[in-house]
Amino acid sequence: MINVQVRSESGTIEARARHGVVWGPELAGLDQSAFPMMGHLLPYADTVLNSRQVVTLLAEVPRLPPGVVTEEFARELLDLAQEVLDGQHLYLWFLGD
């Protein structure tokens, strides 16, 4: 399971998703050239996105093939990404198992 958090520059958790995304063949098989943010996630490592990368992620989420993420996770991910953009010195963390 990959969970998502918004963290400040100091590492303080500002927000977190209630749902996570399960690592499976759908996520592992994403074309990294078409989905550079989601396609580079790893199941057992953390991935941190800055605000410029979050802009790219926001464009990816609506285009994800069916079955890659749940609707609940997609909504939370979009909300958390927007929180990063609306704040200052915030980062979107994907936390692998």
Side-chain angles (χ1 to χ4, degrees), residues 5-16:
Q5 298 175 347
V6 173
R7 292 188 186 180
S8 69
E9 200 168 53
S10 66
T12 303
I13 300 169
E14 303 289 333
R16 65 182 59 182

Side-chain angles (χ1 to χ4, degrees), residues 32-87:
Q32 292 177 346
S33 64
F35 299 96
M37 299 300 122
M38 293 294 290
H40 282 90
L41 296 180
L42 296 170
Y44 303 111
D46 296 344
T47 303
V48 181
L49 302 182
N50 63 39
S51 58
R52 291 193 65 183
Q53 293 166 316
V54 165
V55 171
T56 303
L57 177 73
L58 283 170
E60 286 181 23
V61 173
R63 297 186 297 108
L64 286 170
V68 174
V69 299
T70 64
E71 288 182 32
E72 295 86 3
F73 179 77
R75 277 194 302 273
E76 284 186 310
L77 185 55
L78 292 172
D79 289 344
L80 292 173
Q82 191 61 52
E83 188 168 332
V84 169
L85 294 181
D86 292 343

